[in-house]
Amino acid sequence: MIFWILLILNSAQAEEVTVNPVTEAPVAEVAPITHHAITAGITVPQPLMLGYEWIDPEVSSSIHFFAEGGYFKLPLSGKLKSFSIWSVEAGARFFPFENCWFLSGALGFRQIGLGTDISNLKLDGVSLANNADLTLNAAIFDLAVGGQWSLSPKVAISVQLGVQLPIPGLHGGSTSIVQDVPDGTDLSVDDSDALSRITNIPIPEIALVRFIWYID
């Protein structure tokens, strides 16, 4: 009996035990999240700019794409009756060192309007016209440097200094004269060359402060 018990135990130890390998579940890849933000800036020459900004990690987290626009009109007194400006632009801000400093480039369009009182222009004591409106248009390339700092995970502020460069061949202006008492006098002038030279002048662009609210 003892012999048979030892023989059974020896056979059991000799059998190989097969262990099924544990298969780990594949880890799901998390898709990069695109960040979106609303911006508002106090700038020069456009007093107020509102815009939209987005960051696409699949392109680069160091590039912030944006589109901005604004409109401002100021009534004045005296011979200069009003001043207005509107502009739109779209481009990108590049953070080359992945810190607070960035370079910015954009393409856009700017229109400046001036309304003047010319009621002192008279013929035989009769005012020929009351107002003259001057319009200056320019397609622009905007180049700037600046910095951006986070106030919280959802809010940041930035400042920016740059220049608006008129695109050759895509700038100019016009003058319109409103005659209250038309008498056949031709008040039109050929000022296209002069206005083209004026609108060809680069002007500075300054973002005194820009607020960025991330909405995702």
Side-chain angles (χ1 to χ4, degrees), residues 11-12 22 35 42 53 65 71 74 77 81 90 94 103 112 119 124-125 161 181:
S11 299
V22 178
H35 299 284
I42 300 174
E53 179 180 295
F65 300 98
Y71 173 80
L74 179 65
S77 60
K81 289 296 186 180
F94 174 52
L103 302 173
I112 298 175
S119 58
D124 296 331
L161 176 63
V181 185

PDB file of all heavy atoms in Angstrom, residues 11-12 22 35 42 53 65 71 74 77 81 90 94 103 112 119 124-125 161 181:
ATOM      1  N   SER A  11       4.295  10.484  -9.499  1.00  0.00           N
ATOM      2  CA  SER A  11       3.731  10.756 -10.821  1.00  0.00           C
ATOM      3  C   SER A  11       3.095  12.141 -10.870  1.00  0.00           C
ATOM      4  O   SER A  11       3.162  12.850 -11.879  1.00  0.00           O
ATOM      5  CB  SER A  11       2.697   9.683 -11.164  1.00  0.00           C
ATOM      6  OG  SER A  11       3.303   8.409 -11.203  1.00  0.00           O
ATOM      7  N   ALA A  12       2.472  12.557  -9.769  1.00  0.00           N
ATOM      8  CA  ALA A  12       1.825  13.874  -9.722  1.00  0.00           C
ATOM      9  C   ALA A  12       2.843  14.999  -9.804  1.00  0.00           C
ATOM     10  O   ALA A  12       2.646  16.021 -10.450  1.00  0.00           O
ATOM     11  CB  ALA A  12       0.983  14.006  -8.454  1.00  0.00           C
ATOM     12  N   VAL A  22      -1.438  35.736 -18.839  1.00  0.00           N
ATOM     13  CA  VAL A  22      -2.407  36.814 -18.648  1.00  0.00           C
ATOM     14  C   VAL A  22      -2.208  37.849 -19.746  1.00  0.00           C
ATOM     15  O   VAL A  22      -1.103  38.377 -19.918  1.00  0.00           O
ATOM     16  CB  VAL A  22      -2.223  37.463 -17.263  1.00  0.00           C
ATOM     17  CG1 VAL A  22      -3.205  38.616 -17.095  1.00  0.00           C
ATOM     18  CG2 VAL A  22      -2.411  36.417 -16.170  1.00  0.00           C
ATOM     19  N   HIS A  35      -7.660  73.365 -28.180  1.00  0.00           N
ATOM     20  CA  HIS A  35      -8.081  74.389 -27.228  1.00  0.00           C
ATOM     21  C   HIS A  35      -8.641  75.593 -27.982  1.00  0.00           C
ATOM     22  O   HIS A  35      -8.108  76.004 -29.014  1.00  0.00           O
ATOM     23  CB  HIS A  35      -6.910  74.815 -26.345  1.00  0.00           C
ATOM     24  CG  HIS A  35      -6.338  73.701 -25.523  1.00  0.00           C
ATOM     25  ND1 HIS A  35      -6.961  73.212 -24.395  1.00  0.00           N
ATOM     26  CD2 HIS A  35      -5.210  72.970 -25.689  1.00  0.00           C
ATOM     27  CE1 HIS A  35      -6.232  72.229 -23.882  1.00  0.00           C
ATOM     28  NE2 HIS A  35      -5.169  72.065 -24.655  1.00  0.00           N
ATOM     29  N   ILE A  42      -7.270  95.912 -26.222  1.00  0.00           N
ATOM     30  CA  ILE A  42      -7.216  97.361 -26.395  1.00  0.00           C
ATOM     31  C   ILE A  42      -5.949  97.646 -27.178  1.00  0.00           C
ATOM     32  O   ILE A  42      -4.837  97.410 -26.688  1.00  0.00           O
ATOM     33  CB  ILE A  42      -7.213  98.088 -25.045  1.00  0.00           C
ATOM     34  CG1 ILE A  42      -8.485  97.744 -24.261  1.00  0.00           C
ATOM     35  CG2 ILE A  42      -7.100  99.586 -25.230  1.00  0.00           C
ATOM     36  CD1 ILE A  42      -8.505  98.310 -22.853  1.00  0.00           C
ATOM     37  N   GLU A  53      -9.312  82.406 -30.894  1.00  0.00           N
ATOM     38  CA  GLU A  53      -8.000  81.768 -30.964  1.00  0.00           C
ATOM     39  C   GLU A  53      -8.155  80.268 -30.745  1.00  0.00           C
ATOM     40  O   GLU A  53      -8.999  79.833 -29.949  1.00  0.00           O
ATOM     41  CB  GLU A  53      -7.086  82.355 -29.886  1.00  0.00           C
ATOM     42  CG  GLU A  53      -5.692  81.760 -29.833  1.00  0.00           C
ATOM     43  CD  GLU A  53      -4.833  82.372 -28.744  1.00  0.00           C
ATOM     44  OE1 GLU A  53      -4.522  83.573 -28.836  1.00  0.00           O
ATOM     45  OE2 GLU A  53      -4.474  81.647 -27.793  1.00  0.00           O
ATOM     46  N   PHE A  65      -3.304  79.864 -33.531  1.00  0.00           N
ATOM     47  CA  PHE A  65      -3.975  80.501 -34.658  1.00  0.00           C
ATOM     48  C   PHE A  65      -5.038  81.475 -34.141  1.00  0.00           C
ATOM     49  O   PHE A  65      -5.651  81.234 -33.092  1.00  0.00           O
ATOM     50  CB  PHE A  65      -4.623  79.455 -35.555  1.00  0.00           C
ATOM     51  CG  PHE A  65      -3.652  78.471 -36.140  1.00  0.00           C
ATOM     52  CD1 PHE A  65      -3.465  77.227 -35.561  1.00  0.00           C
ATOM     53  CD2 PHE A  65      -2.908  78.799 -37.266  1.00  0.00           C
ATOM     54  CE1 PHE A  65      -2.567  76.315 -36.096  1.00  0.00           C
ATOM     55  CE2 PHE A  65      -2.010  77.899 -37.809  1.00  0.00           C
ATOM     56  CZ  PHE A  65      -1.836  76.653 -37.220  1.00  0.00           C
ATOM     57  N   TYR A  71     -14.373  97.464 -34.909  1.00  0.00           N
ATOM     58  CA  TYR A  71     -14.947  98.662 -35.527  1.00  0.00           C
ATOM     59  C   TYR A  71     -15.054  99.736 -34.452  1.00  0.00           C
ATOM     60  O   TYR A  71     -15.440  99.463 -33.303  1.00  0.00           O
ATOM     61  CB  TYR A  71     -16.326  98.382 -36.118  1.00  0.00           C
ATOM     62  CG  TYR A  71     -17.018  99.632 -36.622  1.00  0.00           C
ATOM     63  CD1 TYR A  71     -16.679 100.173 -37.858  1.00  0.00           C
ATOM     64  CD2 TYR A  71     -17.981 100.286 -35.853  1.00  0.00           C
ATOM     65  CE1 TYR A  71     -17.294 101.337 -38.320  1.00  0.00           C
ATOM     66  CE2 TYR A  71     -18.608 101.433 -36.310  1.00  0.00           C
ATOM     67  CZ  TYR A  71     -18.257 101.961 -37.550  1.00  0.00           C
ATOM     68  OH  TYR A  71     -18.857 103.102 -38.001  1.00  0.00           O
ATOM     69  N   LEU A  74     -15.841 107.616 -33.811  1.00  0.00           N
ATOM     70  CA  LEU A  74     -15.802 108.674 -32.799  1.00  0.00           C
ATOM     71  C   LEU A  74     -16.304 109.980 -33.414  1.00  0.00           C
ATOM     72  O   LEU A  74     -15.687 110.501 -34.351  1.00  0.00           O
ATOM     73  CB  LEU A  74     -14.369 108.857 -32.285  1.00  0.00           C
ATOM     74  CG  LEU A  74     -14.152 109.952 -31.239  1.00  0.00           C
ATOM     75  CD1 LEU A  74     -14.893 109.606 -29.948  1.00  0.00           C
ATOM     76  CD2 LEU A  74     -12.662 110.151 -30.983  1.00  0.00           C
ATOM     77  N   SER A  77     -15.842 117.372 -32.941  1.00  0.00           N
ATOM     78  CA  SER A  77     -16.378 118.722 -33.111  1.00  0.00           C
ATOM     79  C   SER A  77     -15.393 119.554 -33.922  1.00  0.00           C
ATOM     80  O   SER A  77     -14.237 119.174 -34.105  1.00  0.00           O
ATOM     81  CB  SER A  77     -16.633 119.373 -31.746  1.00  0.00           C
ATOM     82  OG  SER A  77     -15.417 119.450 -31.007  1.00  0.00           O
ATOM     83  N   LYS A  81     -15.316 116.316 -38.405  1.00  0.00           N
ATOM     84  CA  LYS A  81     -16.592 115.893 -37.848  1.00  0.00           C
ATOM     85  C   LYS A  81     -16.568 114.501 -37.221  1.00  0.00           C
ATOM     86  O   LYS A  81     -17.237 114.237 -36.235  1.00  0.00           O
ATOM     87  CB  LYS A  81     -17.667 115.946 -38.938  1.00  0.00           C
ATOM     88  CG  LYS A  81     -18.059 117.357 -39.346  1.00  0.00           C
ATOM     89  CD  LYS A  81     -18.691 118.103 -38.197  1.00  0.00           C
ATOM     90  CE  LYS A  81     -19.218 119.458 -38.620  1.00  0.00           C
ATOM     91  NZ  LYS A  81     -19.835 120.204 -37.502  1.00  0.00           N
ATOM     92  N   ALA A  90      -6.152  87.794 -39.774  1.00  0.00           N
ATOM     93  CA  ALA A  90      -6.049  86.395 -39.358  1.00  0.00           C
ATOM     94  C   ALA A  90      -4.598  85.962 -39.517  1.00  0.00           C
ATOM     95  O   ALA A  90      -3.922  86.356 -40.476  1.00  0.00           O
ATOM     96  CB  ALA A  90      -6.966  85.497 -40.187  1.00  0.00           C
ATOM     97  N   PHE A  94       3.536  82.421 -32.796  1.00  0.00           N
ATOM     98  CA  PHE A  94       4.470  81.307 -32.655  1.00  0.00           C
ATOM     99  C   PHE A  94       5.335  81.521 -31.418  1.00  0.00           C
ATOM    100  O   PHE A  94       5.980  82.563 -31.274  1.00  0.00           O
ATOM    101  CB  PHE A  94       5.332  81.186 -33.904  1.00  0.00           C
ATOM    102  CG  PHE A  94       6.428  80.163 -33.804  1.00  0.00           C
ATOM    103  CD1 PHE A  94       6.156  78.866 -33.407  1.00  0.00           C
ATOM    104  CD2 PHE A  94       7.740  80.501 -34.103  1.00  0.00           C
ATOM    105  CE1 PHE A  94       7.156  77.917 -33.298  1.00  0.00           C
ATOM    106  CE2 PHE A  94       8.751  79.568 -34.003  1.00  0.00           C
ATOM    107  CZ  PHE A  94       8.459  78.272 -33.600  1.00  0.00           C
ATOM    108  N   LEU A 103       6.258  85.368 -31.507  1.00  0.00           N
ATOM    109  CA  LEU A 103       6.296  86.139 -32.744  1.00  0.00           C
ATOM    110  C   LEU A 103       4.926  86.004 -33.410  1.00  0.00           C
ATOM    111  O   LEU A 103       4.314  84.937 -33.359  1.00  0.00           O
ATOM    112  CB  LEU A 103       7.383  85.627 -33.685  1.00  0.00           C
ATOM    113  CG  LEU A 103       8.817  85.613 -33.151  1.00  0.00           C
ATOM    114  CD1 LEU A 103       9.749  84.910 -34.140  1.00  0.00           C
ATOM    115  CD2 LEU A 103       9.297  87.032 -32.892  1.00  0.00           C
ATOM    116  N   ILE A 112      -9.762 103.384 -42.816  1.00  0.00           N
ATOM    117  CA  ILE A 112      -9.855 104.559 -41.949  1.00  0.00           C
ATOM    118  C   ILE A 112     -10.702 105.604 -42.663  1.00  0.00           C
ATOM    119  O   ILE A 112     -10.494 105.884 -43.851  1.00  0.00           O
ATOM    120  CB  ILE A 112      -8.460 105.132 -41.631  1.00  0.00           C
ATOM    121  CG1 ILE A 112      -7.630 104.085 -40.870  1.00  0.00           C
ATOM    122  CG2 ILE A 112      -8.574 106.408 -40.802  1.00  0.00           C
ATOM    123  CD1 ILE A 112      -6.194 104.518 -40.624  1.00  0.00           C
ATOM    124  N   SER A 119     -18.114 123.599 -45.171  1.00  0.00           N
ATOM    125  CA  SER A 119     -19.182 124.562 -45.435  1.00  0.00           C
ATOM    126  C   SER A 119     -18.642 125.962 -45.718  1.00  0.00           C
ATOM    127  O   SER A 119     -19.371 126.817 -46.223  1.00  0.00           O
ATOM    128  CB  SER A 119     -20.151 124.614 -44.247  1.00  0.00           C
ATOM    129  OG  SER A 119     -19.452 124.966 -43.059  1.00  0.00           O
ATOM    130  N   ASP A 124     -20.093 132.927 -54.508  1.00  0.00           N
ATOM    131  CA  ASP A 124     -21.067 134.028 -54.449  1.00  0.00           C
ATOM    132  C   ASP A 124     -21.856 133.984 -53.151  1.00  0.00           C
ATOM    133  O   ASP A 124     -23.082 134.221 -53.127  1.00  0.00           O
ATOM    134  CB  ASP A 124     -22.009 133.996 -55.647  1.00  0.00           C
ATOM    135  CG  ASP A 124     -21.297 134.217 -56.966  1.00  0.00           C
ATOM    136  OD1 ASP A 124     -20.254 134.911 -56.971  1.00  0.00           O
ATOM    137  OD2 ASP A 124     -21.780 133.667 -57.981  1.00  0.00           O
ATOM    138  N   GLY A 125     -21.162 133.640 -52.067  1.00  0.00           N
ATOM    139  CA  GLY A 125     -21.800 133.611 -50.758  1.00  0.00           C
ATOM    140  C   GLY A 125     -22.633 132.383 -50.477  1.00  0.00           C
ATOM    141  O   GLY A 125     -23.249 132.273 -49.415  1.00  0.00           O
ATOM    142  N   LEU A 161       3.855  94.404 -29.663  1.00  0.00           N
ATOM    143  CA  LEU A 161       4.360  95.568 -30.373  1.00  0.00           C
ATOM    144  C   LEU A 161       4.748  95.145 -31.781  1.00  0.00           C
ATOM    145  O   LEU A 161       5.496  94.183 -31.955  1.00  0.00           O
ATOM    146  CB  LEU A 161       5.577  96.156 -29.647  1.00  0.00           C
ATOM    147  CG  LEU A 161       6.275  97.339 -30.336  1.00  0.00           C
ATOM    148  CD1 LEU A 161       5.337  98.526 -30.455  1.00  0.00           C
ATOM    149  CD2 LEU A 161       7.540  97.722 -29.578  1.00  0.00           C
ATOM    150  N   VAL A 181     -26.573 121.919 -52.024  1.00  0.00           N
ATOM    151  CA  VAL A 181     -27.253 122.720 -53.044  1.00  0.00           C
ATOM    152  C   VAL A 181     -26.480 122.563 -54.352  1.00  0.00           C
ATOM    153  O   VAL A 181     -25.642 123.396 -54.697  1.00  0.00           O
ATOM    154  CB  VAL A 181     -27.325 124.202 -52.638  1.00  0.00           C
ATOM    155  CG1 VAL A 181     -28.151 124.989 -53.654  1.00  0.00           C
ATOM    156  CG2 VAL A 181     -27.884 124.362 -51.248  1.00  0.00           C
TER     157      VAL A 181
END
